[in-house]
């Protein structure tokens, strides 16, 4: 595999060389939980999950971490407005976040650390920064001293001198330099706070991500993702804090940033008031259509939000799901494992096989080229056309049907990371079911490893009874609905 990734840090595409052989660390900045998230915020949740799922499908053992910022001015203000605690606001919108991403077909992260559960780690890093002279406490606040970090500005290509000279905002009297940023905020009356060596207070936003990413992924890890609006100052500050505290040269090796979702030419944002929540949009469009709408564009480019675009994506997604259903209907219940040797005497089969095989290679190569999902979807629809033509010309029993089961497995393979085929069955959501089934498959695998064949077979037979077929092959076990 030769995976190439556009790294914001170097400004060019680089070959992926993992830091650790045993696991691939992937950190994505999560939501500040003070409201339902809007559809622009949904873009990183979807795209970075797709990238992570693709890496898993290529054999990487990905450890995926997304933080939840559950202490912030916006949360505190909302709590004040409603006369409830900040924790009540955070809990409410964390639950809503989980509901919404599940409906969006986003697989859960391996860990969702909350900032307020990591105050100790945060204080630890700030203390080490103060000790090393990279940060300074003043009147209950603690600031990071950007002049002490030589590489400050490397990610965003900004120069500290320019930041200081060009800064138009009122200079904070407490800071040494206007570009210095807060690590620890002094407690204010009536706001949540925690004890620290500098008095009661709460963490700044940037330091949370340094603390939580390094806790779960180590001092150096492979991927860090987020929206382009986070490059400066958030990610620049994360690098400064992390590297100054650990002395490590590399904090995150590859920095991935997604483009914005524009509404009539302007970035969709809560502050601009031109937004629609993911929840509202999911009332109007199926998940597959929303995902396809995003994935038809390259993750680094902008997307224009439009009803026409979404309607078109819905039609396209339906066409894909229809072809998939046609395939499923033709595949026999007890499928034979497809063997390319068996088609040698049919020119028609051989041509179809070679065409799909070559499109498959191009599709995977597009995904490996900086996750070029628009090209991937283009190739997938070339396949859809080939498959429809093949089916329309008539399919006999035997190898002509067996080859369709091979195509269906390819489609399943792509959908393991794309999630754009509607496989809902009798109202049961496929994504949710798949999560359950992956656990069941693991369980059966352990039973077989322990040579407990009776129970392992019993499990498979009971599932068949319940309408689910397990299929073992050299590459592992998969499941599908029984007809
Ligand atoms: Zn972050």
């Amino acid at each position: 595999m030769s995976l190439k990734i556009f790294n914001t840090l170097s400004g060019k595409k680089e070959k992926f060389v993992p830091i650790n052989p045993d696991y691939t660390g992937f950190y994505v900045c999560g939501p500040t939980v003070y409201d339902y998230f809007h559809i622009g915020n949904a873009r990183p949740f979807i795209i970075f999950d797709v990238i992570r799922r693709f890496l898993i499908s290529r054999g990487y053992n990905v450890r995926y971490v997304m933080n939840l910022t559950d202490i912030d001015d916006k949360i505190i203000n909302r709590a004040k407005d409603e006369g409830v605690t900040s924790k009540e606001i955070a809990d409410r919108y964390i639950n809503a976040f989980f509901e919404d991403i599940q409906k969006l077909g986003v697989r859960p992260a391996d860990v969702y650390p909350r900032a307020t559960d990591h105050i100790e780690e945060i204080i630890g890093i700030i203390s080490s920064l103060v000790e090393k002279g990279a940060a300074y406490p003043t009147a209950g606040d603690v600031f990071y001293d950007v002049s002490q970090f030589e590489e400050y500005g490397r990610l965003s290509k900004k120069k500290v001198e320019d930041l200081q000279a060009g800064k138009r905002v009122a200079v904070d009297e407490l800071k040494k330099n206007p570009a210095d940023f807060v690590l620890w905020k002094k407690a204010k009356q009536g706001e949540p706070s925690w004890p620290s060596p500098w008095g009661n207070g709460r963490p700044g936003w940037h330091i949370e991500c340094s603390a939580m990413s390094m806790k779960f992924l180590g001092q150096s890890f492979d991927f860090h993702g987020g929206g382009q609006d986070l490059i400066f100052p958030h990610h620049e500050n994360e690098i400064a804090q992390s590297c100054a505290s650990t002395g490590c040269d590399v904090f995150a090796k590859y920095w991935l940033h997604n483009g914005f979702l524009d509404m009539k030419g302007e970035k969709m944002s809560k502050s601009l008031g031109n937004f629609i929540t993911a929840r509202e949009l999911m009332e109007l469009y199926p998940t597959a259509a929303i995902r396809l709408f995003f994935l038809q564009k390259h993750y680094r480019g902008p997307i224009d939000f439009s009803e026409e675009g979404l309607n078109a994506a819905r039609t396209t997604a339906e066409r894909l799901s229809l072809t998939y259903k046609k395939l499923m209907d033709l595949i026999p219940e007890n499928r034979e494992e497809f063997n390319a040797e068996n088609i040698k005497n049919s020119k028609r089969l051989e041509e179809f096989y070679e065409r799909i095989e070559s499109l498959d290679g191009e599709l995977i190569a597009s995904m490996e080229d900086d996750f070029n999902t628009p090209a991937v979807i283009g190739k997938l629809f070339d396949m859809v056309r080939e498959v429809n033509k093949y089916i329309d010309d008539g399919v006999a029993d035997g190898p002509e049907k067996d080859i369709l089961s091979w195509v269906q497995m390819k489609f399943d393979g792509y959908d393991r990371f794309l999630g754009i085929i509607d496989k809902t069955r009798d109202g049961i959501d496929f994504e949710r079911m798949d999560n359950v089934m992956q656990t069941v498959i693991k369980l059966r695998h352990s039973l077989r490893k322990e040579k407990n064949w009776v129970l392992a077979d019993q499990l498979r037979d009971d599932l068949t009874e319940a309408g689910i077929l397990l299929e073992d092959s050299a590459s592992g076990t998969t499941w599908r609905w029984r007809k």
Side-chain angles (χ1 to χ4, degrees):
M1 158 181 206
S2 130
L3 178 60
K4 285 202 192 74
I5 300 151
F6 183 88
N7 188 353
T8 308
L9 198 59
S10 64
K12 55 180 191 240
K13 275 188 203 171
E14 293 176 25
K15 190 169 182 279
F16 176 49
V17 183
I19 295 178
N20 301 297
D22 336 334
Y23 75 94
T24 300
F26 202 140
Y27 185 87
V28 177
C29 293
T32 299
V33 284
Y34 71 105
D35 205 344
Y36 299 115
F37 63 83
H38 66 66
I39 189 68
N41 298 137
R43 193 172 182 193
F45 302 152
I46 292 175
I47 187 64
F48 293 122
D49 174 51
V50 166
I51 292 174
R52 161 237 202 165
R53 279 156 64 170
F54 176 67
L55 292 168
I56 293 173
S57 80
R58 305 309 282 168
Y60 290 98
N61 176 23
V62 183
R63 197 180 290 171
Y64 191 75
V65 180
M66 182 178 280
N67 71 299
L68 300 168
T69 297
D70 62 349
I71 184 76
D72 180 86
D73 286 341
K74 292 184 187 122
I75 299 172
I76 293 170
N77 291 339
R78 177 128 197 184
K80 274 184 195 154
D81 288 349
E82 292 191 20
V84 297
T85 63
S86 297
K87 190 172 180 323
E88 280 175 84
I89 295 292
D91 285 345
R92 183 199 304 162
Y93 291 107
I94 284 174
N95 288 336
F97 165 78
F98 286 141
E99 274 174 34
D100 290 350
I101 57 159
Q102 192 256 318
K103 263 198 235 157
L104 271 175
V106 171
R107 298 272 166 113
D110 297 306
V111 200
Y112 285 107
R114 296 184 186 203
T116 57
D117 289 336
H118 295 86
I119 302 292
E120 204 181 305
E121 288 85 348
I122 291 168
I123 290 174
I125 298 180
I126 302 175
S127 300
S128 83
L129 289 171
V130 172
E131 257 168 51
K132 290 176 175 158
Y136 54 95
T138 164
D141 291 326
V142 183
F143 290 99
Y144 187 94
D145 185 346
V146 297
S147 71
Q148 297 300 308
F149 189 66
E150 228 170 79
E151 299 214 349
Y152 195 78
R154 191 176 149 204
L155 181 75
S156 56
K157 324 284 181 254
K158 288 181 194 287
K159 290 198 177 93
V160 176
E161 306 85 71
D162 297 346
L163 289 170
Q164 287 164 0
K167 199 98 176 171
R168 294 219 179 96
V169 292
V171 175
D172 189 328
E173 298 281 301
L174 301 169
K175 290 187 195 176
K176 285 189 194 166
N177 293 306
D180 293 350
F181 56 90
V182 73
L183 298 169
W184 187 260
K185 293 178 183 179
K186 186 184 170 177
K188 286 191 198 139
Q189 190 65 36
E191 291 187 357
S193 65
W194 291 263
S196 84
W198 317 283
N200 286 353
R202 62 182 165 97
W205 170 42
H206 314 302
I207 193 71
E208 294 173 12
C209 283
S210 286
M212 291 186 272
S213 58
M214 293 197 290
K215 170 166 177 179
F216 292 99
L217 299 173
Q219 293 184 351
S220 298
F221 53 90
D222 299 285
F223 295 104
H224 195 313
Q228 282 165 357
D229 51 340
L230 299 186
I231 297 174
F232 187 85
H234 186 55
H235 290 162
E236 194 71 67
N237 292 354
E238 275 188 46
I239 295 174
Q241 296 159 161
S242 306
C243 292
S245 76
T246 64
C248 254
D249 288 340
V250 178
F251 166 52
K253 191 169 175 187
Y254 303 93
W255 286 85
L256 278 63
H257 291 101
N258 66 277
F260 299 133
L261 183 69
D262 295 333
M263 178 84 115
K264 297 185 183 87
E266 272 185 325
K267 176 191 160 196
M268 185 180 281
S269 81
K270 196 108 211 265
S271 48
L272 291 172
N274 60 346
F275 72 99
I276 171 166
T277 65
R279 218 161 243 243
E280 288 163 335
L281 197 71
M282 284 190 283
E283 294 285 315
L284 304 171
Y285 292 93
T287 300
I290 297 172
R291 294 178 65 90
L292 191 75
F293 175 73
F294 280 114
L295 297 175
Q296 276 173 336
K297 291 276 163 133
H298 193 272
Y299 75 94
R300 282 190 282 120
I303 298 186
D304 279 319
F305 180 87
S306 75
E307 227 180 284
E308 304 84 75
L310 275 156
N311 289 340
R314 175 162 56 193
T315 309
T316 313
E318 280 168 0
R319 204 150 62 84
L320 175 62
S321 298
L322 207 67
T323 300
Y324 184 81
K325 281 199 184 87
K326 271 207 284 193
L327 268 178
M328 293 301 284
D329 286 345
L330 284 168
I331 294 165
E333 183 113 313
N334 294 312
R335 64 167 95 194
E336 290 291 321
E337 185 132 6
F338 172 69
N339 183 349
E341 288 300 310
N342 293 348
I343 57 169
K344 286 277 155 66
N345 49 9
S346 160
K347 195 160 185 318
R348 179 195 177 213
L349 279 179
E350 228 176 331
E351 277 175 8
F352 180 61
Y353 173 75
E354 273 164 20
R355 184 76 185 120
I356 298 291
E357 188 77 331
S358 116
L359 284 169
D360 174 66
E362 291 167 29
L363 186 152
I364 297 298
S366 302
M367 197 61 190
E368 286 183 342
D369 181 16
D370 193 32
F371 316 110
N372 189 347
T373 55
V376 166
I377 287 164
K379 297 297 167 197
L380 184 55
F381 275 89
D382 287 345
M383 281 193 202
V384 165
R385 266 184 292 276
E386 293 289 335
V387 170
N388 285 333
K389 194 169 150 287
Y390 177 82
I391 292 176
D392 291 347
D393 288 347
V395 182
D397 285 339
E400 290 195 9
K401 280 192 177 169
D402 294 342
I403 199 169
L404 286 179
S405 104
W406 169 76
V407 175
Q408 183 246 325
M409 282 183 185
K410 293 255 177 237
F411 277 38
D412 273 353
Y414 311 140
D415 211 48
R416 285 206 164 274
F417 54 89
L418 294 173
I420 51 175
I421 300 177
D422 183 4
K423 296 182 191 164
T424 312
R425 169 85 166 244
D426 301 333
I428 303 173
D429 176 56
F430 179 83
E431 278 297 314
R432 187 173 264 194
M433 192 65 195
D434 192 41
N435 279 335
V436 176
M437 283 311 300
Q438 293 311 321
T439 308
V440 175
I441 288 169
K442 261 189 223 156
L443 178 69
R444 179 164 161 269
H445 184 71
S446 332
L447 287 172
R448 286 160 65 111
K449 236 176 158 177
E450 290 163 12
K451 300 201 178 357
N452 195 339
W453 311 113
V454 178
L455 212 53
D457 288 349
Q458 177 80 49
L459 186 61
R460 189 199 53 212
D461 295 346
D462 287 353
L463 285 169
T464 309
E465 192 82 355
I468 289 164
L469 295 173
L470 289 189
E471 292 179 317
D472 298 310
S473 73
S475 56
T477 306
T478 53
W479 71 277
R480 65 181 167 114
W481 301 116
R482 220 175 129 190
K483 275 182 210 159

